[in-house]
Amino acid sequence: MIPRARLSILSLLFACAPSVAFADPLANCGAEPEAPPVSTKDVEHYNASVDRFQSYEKDARAYNACISAAARKEESAISDEAGVRIAKIHAQSVAVQQRIADNFRKIGAVLAAGAKKLQHH
């Protein structure tokens, strides 16, 4: 069981996460062609099977090309969005590190000056 505090933090993280709706690569390509039945019962059935297979092969290759192109497009969009999010997080992290380093330098300088001033006492 997740403690309440942790649950509310998780809820907040999910609520603040960007909701990007990505397209379904299958949606724009129509129905996947069905593999045809084949028969080698005799020459007539065999020839008909070859014809059905050639038609299927053409349709299946076109369908596969459509799916591949749609998938690449969606993968690229997801990657681009992730890159933007990563850059934002990195910039925030760098800003915090710089503020802390500046504070260390400033406080260190004040303490060093104080030590020098007070060493004669």
Side-chain angles (χ1 to χ4, degrees):
M1 181 168 185
I2 300 174
R4 277 184 220 253
R6 192 174 284 170
L7 182 61
S8 62
I9 291 170
L10 289 173
S11 300
L12 179 62
L13 287 174
F14 286 116
C16 294
S19 58
V20 177
F22 294 103
D24 178 2
L26 302 176
N28 295 325
C29 296
E32 180 176 345
E34 290 188 32
V38 295
S39 173
T40 59
K41 179 177 165 181
D42 55 36
V43 172
E44 184 180 329
H45 283 93
Y46 175 82
N47 288 338
S49 293
V50 169
D51 291 343
R52 283 192 303 271
F53 171 73
Q54 288 174 340
S55 178
Y56 166 73
E57 182 181 26
K58 178 184 170 195
D59 293 345
R61 288 183 187 278
Y63 181 77
N64 187 55
C66 179
I67 294 296
S68 294
R72 278 192 306 275
K73 181 179 176 184
E74 289 306 309
E75 290 165 356
S76 180
I78 291 167
S79 179
D80 292 347
E81 193 241 343
V84 168
R85 291 177 62 198
I86 289 169
K88 180 179 177 183
I89 291 167
H90 180 74
Q92 292 170 339
S93 174
V94 168
V96 167
Q97 292 170 17
Q98 288 174 341
R99 283 193 302 272
I100 290 171
D102 288 346
N103 288 337
F104 285 171
R105 278 191 290 280
K106 289 174 188 174
I107 293 169
V110 170
L111 291 175
K116 187 175 182 179
K117 174 183 164 188
L118 296 174
Q119 90 185 61
H120 299 297
H121 286 72

